[in-house]
Structure formats: structure tokens, C-alpha cells
Amino acid sequence: MTTPKLNLLTYLPAWSWLKHYNKQSFKSDLLSAFIVIAMLVPQGMAYAIVAGLPPITGLYASVLPMMIYALIGGSPTLSIGPVALISMMTFATLNPLFELGSSAYIEAACLLAILVGLISLLLGIFKFGFLIRLISHPVIKSFIIASAVLIALSQVKLLLHIPLKIDNLPNFFYSFWQYKEQIHWPSLIFGICAILFLLFVPKLLQSSLISRRFNSNWINLFIKTTPLWLIIVAIFAIQKLGLIDLGIATVGAIPSGFPPLGLPIWNLDLVVQLLPGAAMIAMVSFVESISIAQATALQNRRELNSNQELIALGLANISAGVSASFPVTGSLSRTVVNADAGAKSPISGFLSSVFIVLVSLYFTGLFYYLPLVVLAATIMVSIWKLVDFKPFIETWHYSKADGIAMWITFFAVLFIDISAGLIIGVVTTFILLLWRISRPHIAVIGQIEGTEHFRNIHRHDAITLAKIISIRIDESLSFLNINSLKEFIIQEVSNNSSLQHVILNCSSVSSIDLSAVETLEDINIDLGKLGIQLHLSEVKGPVMDKLQHAVLLQQLRGKVFLTHYQAVAYLKQQMQQQELSKSHHY
């Protein structure tokens, strides 16, 4: 017997599509890269500011990570780079530890990216990707919405040009009250104009007046690159119209050149301090990235390996850490634009990173007069679309437990901080899950006339027998819920003095633990003392395997039946024979 060899090519998905790559695909990827770069440059710099880092680090974060993902990732259109949520989490992790903008802060951001990458990489290699998916969708939705509120509010300090604290709502409002007299009105007016530009220019271009005169493809291209046009207009206004004399803060000098490569200083104490934040960022970045990648994979009919995505995301973050930037993940907005622009392969992301290098080398001087309020406006307009309270209402109507988890997460993020809010949301979800499991749905079932089917007697007009009670529990049996079943049986037995048989329908029981087995043994003994037999029906294979190693089957006063219909029919026939025997005896 030969041992299978490890095929390293399975960790390089690029090998499969590069063999079939052609000139036509390259043209499509090149066009999509041009369009994405128009979004990526302003977004990258803006998200770096959200993370509390120099704008240039946002460009650095878009170079090596995208190249790495192009080779190792599985999605043809996923755009890896800085995003608002991860930038905000980076800020929340580092701000309490270091002075904003200091060299120690920047070093720690690089180290944080490497830690995020190592966590993701190890989880992917050892196929523990499922652990990250333990966060429920309602909690993730709530977390993103609450974080979007904080991210939008974090940009108010740039609009007002005052030092607001934005780790939570109480601190935000308290700091606003402290500095409200120092509001810089020219910055606020310029920022409002930028927001209006981003909101209404696309609507104007989509109006019938414009759409009739120009080609729709050119209009769509202009709409997608609106942030870039805003930057051009803003730089012109500041530089040529003399608005810089009003005191509007600009990006200033940005160093040009290729992203500097090197490992940040490793400090064990610092690693321990950053590890909780890195774990939270790794968890959220994977959930966000895999959700986007799965959506595009479904549309393109491609397979997607979640563990491979973890490996790709891990290596992308490590590359971000060694290239003087901060944690990255998949961007929804850029991925959608990339897909709509016709990207055929990850080469589009690779080309985007090449263009970023060219910008970093030769064009950083163009951003000297770029107002910071324009970057703030870009973030606020893009992120505010995520603030939608409909999911809260819909979830509450569907499930009160999930609704409670959503609201708790939302308020925890807003009133404590991002990381604590996520942890509280996850813990709340598990508490509510345990509460639900401990209160399983248990029903008395009866036979539907003319069929072999048994249903809940409170939902259907079903036939029952006075001496036989059929009970179905719709949950796997464990120490959490077995006592609820015992209490239910006790109540039903107490209400029926003529009862002779209890049939436990196990069709919904997929597993059973030792506590549940031992409690069933006690129930069997207690019923036996009352002259009542306990029977089991429709026991699944894995559950029967467990029962084979327990004494329950040897002590069981009743029988185990393949179907519930057979159980009722057998017991019914047995009771009829007993009645007939008694009548003959008399």
C-alpha cells in the first residue's frame, strides 16, 4: 500500500486557470483593473485614515495582498485590500495602546496584520475553518450595521476638524460637547459639498436627460469612478481656487516608492496584547471575505474551498504585515465592480496591484492637495448604505431569540466598543442556543386517519388510544433537555390513569449523550413500577449504536420498533388479544 503524496499544486488554484488563460481574458481583466483602481486609490487612503494610519499605507495594503490572493485564492473576482470594518477594528485594537500616528502605532499595525494572517493560515492548514463560522448571521448583520454607524461617525472629526473620540457613542457625544466651539466651518461646508457630489452626481447621470444623449456604458463607467472624479475636482478647487488658505486640512506629502519590506519588531508582551484583537479581526475578515467569495463563486459556477480561502487570506495578511500596512480582507464594493466590469480571472486583481505600485512610485505627489474631508465623505457615503434597520424587524418577527441577539450586539458595539460588542454578541447567541436546546419541542402525536403517518394532536385531527401515548421530541437528547422530556412524560402519565404504554418516537433524535441514556433508564424503571411499558420507535442508526453500549436495551420493558405505525399496530393487537383472553377466561 503506497502513501499518497502531498500535491502542492492543490494549494495553488492559479495553476488550473493559468493553463487556459488567453488574450481575450487579459483584455477583460485589464479593463476591470482600470475601473477598480479608480475606486481603490481613494478608498485605500480613506480606510488607512480610519485605521489611524498614514494614507500611503492604504495603497501599500493593496499591492502584495492582491498579488498573493491572485495566486492562492479561489475567487476570480474577489478584491482583497483595506475595508472600512477591518480598518475600524484595527483602530479599536491599537488606539488604547499607542499614540495615534506614532511609529510604535504603525509597527503594531504591521504586527497585527501578521498575527491575523498566522491565525487564518493555521486555521486553514488544519482545516478548522468551521470554527470561524460559529457566529450566527443575525449577529454578523447587527455587528456590521453598528460598526457602520461608528465608522461613519468616525469621519465626523475630519468634517468638523475637531479631535472626537469614536470608540463608542457616549465618548463621541461627550467629546463633541467638549470641542463643539472649535468646529471648522470651511471644512464642514467643503465636506457637505463632497457628500452631495457623491450622492447626486450618479443620480443626475442616470436621469433621462443625460442617459438619452450619452452611451450607457460610458455613463456607468463614470458613475463607478465618481470618487476619483471627486478627488480631481477637490484637488483642483484647493490648489487653483486658493481654498487651502481657509485652513482645510489636506493629505500633504506622501512618500513615493515601492512598499518597504521588512518584519516589524516582535515583542512577546505586545503579541499577547494584540492577540485578542487579531483573533476578532481574523474571524470577521474571513466571514466577510468568504461570504463575498461564495456569492461570486455561485454566479460563476465555480467551486470554493473555505479552508483554501483561509490560507489565501492568511498569506495575504502576512504579506500586508511585511509591506508596512495593516489587516486586509475582501471588499464587497470593489468585488461587485470588478465582476460587473467583466473580470475573468484573479489577474484583474494582480493588475490592479501593479497599477497601485505605479501610483506609489510616480503619482503620490498629485495627492498633496487632496482634502481629508473628501476621503471622509467617500467613506461616509459608501458605508452609510450598510445602515439598514429592516433586518432587525424581519429577524424579530421570525425569531425572538435571534432578534434579542441582534439588538444586544448592536447596543454593545455602540455603547462599549467593536471587539467587546462582537464577543458579547457571540456569547449571547450561544446562551440563547443552549436555552432553546434545553426547552425542546415535545408533542403528543396521533395517527392521521387512513394513513400510517403520525402528527401533533394539537395541529391535526389525529386518532389516539386511551392506553397508549405516543411522544415525539424534536431535538437530539442530551443533559440539557432530557429532564424536560422526563417532566413531560410525568405530566402525561399523571393525567392518564389508564395508561399502559409510552412510545417515544425518536425520528428527530440524531444523537444521544450518556446523561440522556441514564435518564431514560430511570424513566423506564419508574414507569415499570406503575405497570407501564416504555417503547422506542424509529431510532436512527447512530443513536442505536450508542444504545447498544448501554444497559437501557437490556432493561427496557417494552420493545424497539422500526416505525411508529408498527409500534402502535403491535401494541393495539396485543391489547386486543389480552381483552379477548380475559373475556374467554370469564
Side-chain angles (χ1 to χ4, degrees), residues 120-135:
S120 301
L121 181 62
L122 291 174
L123 288 173
I125 290 174
F126 293 105
K127 303 188 184 304
F128 283 133
F130 70 92
L131 292 176
I132 295 180
R133 300 191 186 188
L134 295 178
I135 312 177

Side-chain angles (χ1 to χ4, degrees), residues 52-54 94 98-110 264-265 270:
L53 294 161
L94 301 179
F98 303 98
E99 182 182 352
L100 195 64
S102 64
S103 58
Y105 188 102
I106 297 172
E107 282 275 330
C110 297
I265 298 173
L270 180 57

Side-chain angles (χ1 to χ4, degrees), residues 329-403:
T329 189
S331 167
L332 176 60
S333 59
R334 295 195 299 272
T335 299
V336 170
V337 169
N338 198 28
D340 290 345
K344 300 298 182 183
S345 74
I347 285 292
S348 60
F350 192 92
L351 292 172
S352 294
S353 63
V354 172
F355 293 147
I356 289 290
V357 172
L358 294 176
V359 171
S360 302
L361 288 173
Y362 303 110
F363 300 104
T364 54
L366 297 176
F367 301 110
Y368 183 91
Y369 291 101
L370 174 60
L372 292 176
V373 291
V374 168
L375 297 179
T378 302
I379 294 171
M380 293 181 76
V381 171
S382 63
I383 204 71
W384 201 255
K385 298 173 185 176
L386 298 175
V387 182
D388 180 12
F389 290 97
K390 282 178 60 179
F392 288 89
I393 299 171
E394 293 170 353
T395 302
W396 179 262
H397 286 311
Y398 180 78
S399 169
K400 296 296 185 289
D402 286 335

Side-chain angles (χ1 to χ4, degrees), residues 401-548:
D402 286 335
I404 290 171
M406 283 191 76
W407 283 111
I408 289 176
T409 304
F410 181 78
F411 286 116
V413 170
L414 289 184
F415 287 91
I416 303 176
D417 62 51
I418 282 185
S419 297
L422 181 59
I423 293 171
I424 290 171
V426 173
V427 171
T428 301
T429 302
F430 278 102
I431 291 174
L432 292 172
L433 177 64
L434 294 176
W435 178 83
R436 182 184 65 80
I437 293 174
S438 67
R439 298 167 58 87
H441 178 259
I442 305 173
V444 175
I445 57 177
Q447 186 176 357
I448 303 300
E449 188 174 4
T451 73
E452 297 182 4
H453 300 291
F454 289 78
R455 295 291 184 268
N456 189 337
I457 62 172
H458 296 299
R459 293 178 179 269
H460 300 271
D461 185 14
I463 301 171
T464 59
L465 299 172
K467 297 182 179 181
I468 301 174
I469 186 169
S470 298
I471 298 173
R472 188 191 69 220
I473 178 170
D474 297 326
E475 189 69 65
S476 293
L477 292 174
S478 68
F479 68 96
L480 289 170
N481 57 27
I482 190 61
N483 284 322
S484 295
L485 176 62
K486 184 176 182 178
E487 292 170 2
F488 188 90
I489 292 174
I490 291 172
Q491 182 179 356
E492 293 298 325
V493 170
S494 301
N495 294 335
N496 189 347
S497 57
S498 62
L499 199 62
Q500 295 181 2
H501 302 279
V502 173
I503 311 174
L504 186 59
N505 184 296
C506 302
S507 58
S508 299
V509 179
S510 298
S511 63
I512 185 170
D513 69 5
L514 184 59
S515 297
V517 173
E518 291 176 345
T519 304
L520 285 178
E521 292 170 359
D522 294 339
I523 292 172
N524 177 61
I525 293 171
D526 293 339
L527 291 176
K529 293 177 181 178
L530 298 174
I532 300 173
Q533 292 184 349
L534 175 66
H535 308 271
L536 305 178
S537 72
E538 302 187 19
V539 182
K540 293 184 177 180
V543 177
M544 184 60 75
D545 292 340
K546 293 289 185 182
L547 295 181
Q548 297 290 353

Side-chain angles (χ1 to χ4, degrees), residues 83-256:
V83 298
L85 180 55
I86 301 304
S87 298
M88 187 68 182
M89 294 184 72
T90 299
F91 174 82
T93 302
L94 301 179
N95 187 47
L97 303 175
F98 303 98
E99 182 182 352
L100 195 64
S102 64
S103 58
Y105 188 102
I106 297 172
E107 282 275 330
C110 297
L111 179 57
L112 182 65
I114 291 177
L115 291 176
V116 170
L118 288 174
I119 292 171
S120 301
L121 181 62
L122 291 174
L123 288 173
I125 290 174
F126 293 105
K127 303 188 184 304
F128 283 133
F130 70 92
L131 292 176
I132 295 180
R133 300 191 186 188
L134 295 178
I135 312 177
S136 69
H137 283 282
V139 166
I140 282 292
K141 284 182 184 177
S142 178
F143 174 73
I144 290 175
I145 293 170
S147 299
V149 173
L150 285 182
I151 292 167
L153 291 178
S154 71
Q155 300 311 295
V156 173
K157 67 180 181 181
L158 295 179
L159 291 179
L160 304 181
H161 200 56
I162 56 177
L164 297 176
K165 293 183 178 180
I166 43 83
D167 50 339
N168 57 47
L169 280 185
N171 286 341
F172 172 82
F173 287 114
Y174 179 72
S175 59
F176 176 80
W177 182 260
Q178 279 184 308
Y179 297 103
K180 65 181 186 300
E181 303 297 333
Q182 301 177 24
I183 293 175
H184 189 252
W185 292 101
S187 296
L188 178 58
I189 294 171
F190 199 97
I192 291 174
C193 290
I195 292 172
L196 294 176
F197 184 95
L198 291 170
L199 289 176
F200 291 106
V201 167
K203 292 183 179 180
L204 178 64
L205 293 172
Q206 290 173 330
S207 66
S208 58
L209 181 64
I210 303 295
S211 59
R212 288 175 185 173
R213 296 188 178 185
F214 298 94
N215 184 284
S216 60
N217 291 331
W218 285 106
I219 292 175
N220 290 332
L221 178 61
F222 194 95
I223 290 172
K224 291 172 182 176
T225 57
T226 301
L228 183 62
W229 294 112
L230 173 62
I231 285 178
I232 294 171
V233 171
I235 291 175
F236 177 83
I238 291 293
Q239 188 177 11
K240 301 301 182 181
L241 302 181
L243 296 183
I244 195 169
D245 296 332
L246 297 176
I248 298 174
T250 63
V251 170
I254 298 178
S256 61

